[in-house]
Amino acid sequence: MVECSVSGVLVFGELDETRVRGIEGKLRSIVMRAEERGRDSWGIVTMSRNGEIKSIKSLGKASETLPNYPRILDTDTVVAIANNRAEPTTEYVKEKGLNDIQPMISEYVVVSHNGTIANDAELEGKYGIRKISKIDSSILPPLLEKAWDGSLEGLQRILRDEVVGSFALAIIDRRRPGKLWLAVNFKPLYVMWDRELNALFFSSLDTYLEDPDKPPWDANVIKRIEPYSVVEVTRDGGWRVLRLWRDEQGKPRRVLVVASGGLDSTTAATQLIKQGYDVTLLHFNYGHVAEGPEDRAVRRIAEFLNVPLLEVNMDFFKIVRHSPLLGEGEINRRRSGINGAEFAHEWVPARNLVFIALAAAIAEAMGYDYVATGVNLEESGAYPDNEMEFIRLLNQVMPYAVGPNKHIELLMPVGHLVKHEIVKLGLEINAPLHLTWSCYDKGPKHCGRCGPCYMRRLAFKINGVRDPVEYDLPVEVEEEFWRGARPYEVPKRPGQ
C-alpha cells in the first residue's frame, strides 16, 4: 500500500441530529478532498458506543460515488475512520472484493493505513496469522488482535519493533469503543479540533481538514502528529503520546558542526563540547574569496578543540556564481561596513540550504544524530537563512529527508544571540576566538571595512575586550577604537 489518505473523526459528548449532520458533512468533505492521494477506492467504517461496526466501501473516486450514499453516522456513533486508496503497481488486484478496500476489518480491530508493510509474509509466519487480502496492509488487524494488549505501550512496541515499512495509521477496536489510536513514522497525519462540532477530525494533509485561507477567528486548531510517534485519544479528553524511536541509552550524542572558521560556528562548537556532545567540525571549501584564511582557521580551531575535522572541496558554486563572495562584484565596504552588516549584499544563493543538505547526508551516512550551524539572530536581520525559523522549519522536514528510522536534528546553539552576545559567550566558555576568521576578503589581515569585520570589532568593543585578530586599518584608528578595552586572554585548550 503505497499512497493513500487516512481520515476520520472522534466524537465527543452526546450527539443530537444537528451535530450528526454537521460532523457527517465535514467528514464527507474531508474524504472527498483526500481523494487527491487515492482515487481507486474508498471506505468508511463507523463504530457505535457499544462497539457495533458499520462500513461502506466503493471502487472509484469518493467524489463520484460517496454522494450516492445517504447516511453514514447516527446519534450513537463515537468514531469513524476512512481511507482513500491509490493502488500501487506492485499490488494491483484486477478483481477487487470488499476485503481489498480499506479500512481493513477483522473480528475486533479496524485499521486505515497509508504506507507499505514490507515484512507482512514474515509476520504471518512468526505469529501464525493470515492477511485478510493480498494487500500488505491487511496483515495489521490480525497482527494487532494476536499480539496487542490494547495499551499504548503495547502498540508502541509492535510498531517500533515488529513492523517494517512506512505508515500513517488510524486504529479502532470494538472492545474499546471510546478510544482512537493514531500512529506515524514518516507518513503524514494531521488532527483538527472543531470547537463548534465538539469533534476531533484527522486526515493525511492539513489542507483536507480546512481551508488554509480562513481568517484565524474562523479557523480551528490543526496539529501535525509528530513523525515517529503514536497517540492514544479518548472521548473523555485523554491524549497520550509515545515516540517510536528505538531507545539507545548510553549512546554518545554525535554532532556535525558546519564550521566556517568564524566566531559563530566556533562558539557554537565549543558550547556543544561543554554540553557533552561528541563534536566533529565540517568545513566546506566552495571556491569563495576567503577560502584560504577560513580553511587555515578551521584547521587550527579543530586542533585547539581536539576534535575531528571533515573538509569538503566542492565546485558547485562555480556554476551558481552571482555573489561577491564568489568573485563576481565588489565586497560592500561602504560606511565602514555598516551597509554590509545591514543588508545581504554578499548573499550566496541558497548556500546554507546546500550546506545543511550535504551535512545531513554525511550525518546520516556516518551515524551522527545532530547537525549544528552558527546561524544567529544578528545576521538574520540581513540573511534569511540565518533566521531561527529557517532551522525550525527544516527540522520539521528532516524526518522526510533521511531514511526510515533515521533521526537527525538541526541545532542552532547561538541562533537566539546577537553578535556581541556570541562574543560574550565565547569569552565565557573559552572558545578559541583568537583563531577565527570573519572577513569576507582573503587577507592576510582582516580588512576592517566589510560587514562581518564591522560587527566583529563592535561586538568585542561592547564586551570591553580588544579583538585578538589584526585589522588592515591605520594604527591610530585602531588605538583610538580600542582605547579602554582590556587585552584578550588566550584560553587554555580543553583538558589543560
Side-chain angles (χ1 to χ4, degrees), residues 185-451:
N185 55 10
F186 59 85
K187 286 293 184 180
L189 197 59
Y190 290 81
V191 296
M192 179 186 74
W193 172 248
D194 191 304
R195 297 183 298 273
E196 183 178 345
L197 294 173
N198 196 23
L200 184 76
F201 293 89
F202 56 92
S203 194
S204 290
L205 290 181
D206 53 349
T207 52
Y208 303 159
L209 294 169
E210 193 160 77
D211 181 358
D213 295 326
K214 273 188 175 182
W217 46 86
D218 287 339
N220 291 301
V221 175
I222 296 178
K223 177 184 177 68
R224 182 179 73 157
I225 302 296
E226 288 300 311
Y228 294 90
S229 62
V230 56
V231 183
E232 180 183 83
V233 195
T234 60
R235 295 183 68 231
D236 60 3
W239 177 275
R240 291 184 61 213
V241 182
L242 294 177
R243 302 310 302 268
L244 294 176
W245 301 114
R246 290 182 173 84
D247 190 12
E248 295 181 315
Q249 290 185 351
K251 177 185 175 183
R253 297 180 297 169
R254 303 182 67 210
V255 57
L256 207 54
V257 180
V258 180
S260 66
L263 290 173
D264 311 320
S265 57
T266 301
T267 300
T270 307
Q271 177 77 328
L272 290 168
I273 292 170
K274 296 282 185 181
Q275 293 172 346
Y277 286 84
D278 184 352
V279 169
T280 295
L281 303 186
L282 173 63
H283 181 67
F284 294 98
N285 295 306
Y286 60 100
H288 53 302
V289 174
E291 180 175 295
E294 280 192 9
D295 186 50
R296 290 190 291 273
V298 79
R299 292 185 183 200
R300 292 167 184 159
I301 291 163
E303 181 182 7
F304 182 95
L305 295 175
N306 193 29
V307 297
L309 170 64
L310 296 176
E311 294 199 61
V312 176
N313 299 312
M314 56 190 301
D315 57 8
F316 169 75
F317 285 103
K318 290 181 181 178
I319 301 170
V320 175
R321 300 178 293 118
H322 294 91
S323 170
L325 297 194
L326 301 174
E328 288 198 3
E330 295 295 323
I331 293 171
N332 191 320
R333 294 187 171 93
R334 290 190 293 275
R335 297 172 61 212
S336 301
I338 296 177
N339 282 20
E342 293 182 342
F343 187 76
H345 295 280
E346 289 81 15
W347 172 260
V348 177
R351 183 190 65 180
N352 282 2
L353 180 62
V354 172
F355 285 175
I356 289 171
L358 293 173
I362 295 169
E364 179 183 355
M366 296 186 175
Y368 290 88
D369 310 288
Y370 305 93
V371 170
T373 71
V375 301
N376 62 88
L377 202 59
E378 182 95 41
E379 292 179 29
S380 72
Y383 291 86
D385 60 3
N386 266 259
E387 173 57 56
M388 293 175 72
E389 185 76 344
F390 174 65
I391 299 298
R392 192 184 73 84
L393 291 176
L394 283 182
N395 263 328
Q396 293 186 26
V397 172
M398 199 56 64
Y400 311 105
V402 297
N405 298 309
K406 300 289 186 179
H407 179 250
I408 294 175
E409 181 180 347
L410 304 180
L411 304 177
M412 44 179 171
V414 297
H416 62 299
L417 302 179
V418 294
K419 194 68 69 173
H420 67 86
E421 292 174 319
I422 293 171
V423 169
K424 181 176 185 292
L425 176 61
L427 293 169
E428 290 172 348
I429 63 176
N430 294 323
L433 305 183
H434 60 295
L435 301 178
T436 58
W437 183 268
S438 300
C439 185
Y440 278 153
D441 218 334
K442 57 187 175 183
K445 297 179 180 180
H446 282 66
C447 76
R449 294 177 292 119
C450 66

Side-chain angles (χ1 to χ4, degrees), residues 106-154:
S106 60
E107 184 178 1
Y108 296 107
V109 176
V110 184
V111 177
S112 179
H113 171 231
N114 170 32
T116 300
I117 305 302
N119 66 332
D120 49 322
E122 290 83 352
L123 291 170
E124 285 184 311
K126 180 176 181 178
Y127 287 98
I129 55 179
R130 288 292 176 263
K131 290 186 292 186
I132 297 169
S133 81
K134 295 179 181 179
I135 297 168
D136 58 25
S137 301
S138 69
I139 192 64
L140 293 172
L143 171 66
L144 293 176
E145 290 197 355
K146 184 69 175 285
W148 181 34
D149 61 5
S151 70
L152 184 63
E153 290 76 10

Side-chain angles (χ1 to χ4, degrees), residues 263 423 433 456-465 467-468 482:
L263 290 173
V423 169
L433 305 183
R456 178 184 178 120
R457 291 176 80 234
L458 193 55
F460 270 94
K461 185 173 183 177
I462 289 171
N463 281 280
V465 176
D467 191 345
W482 296 111

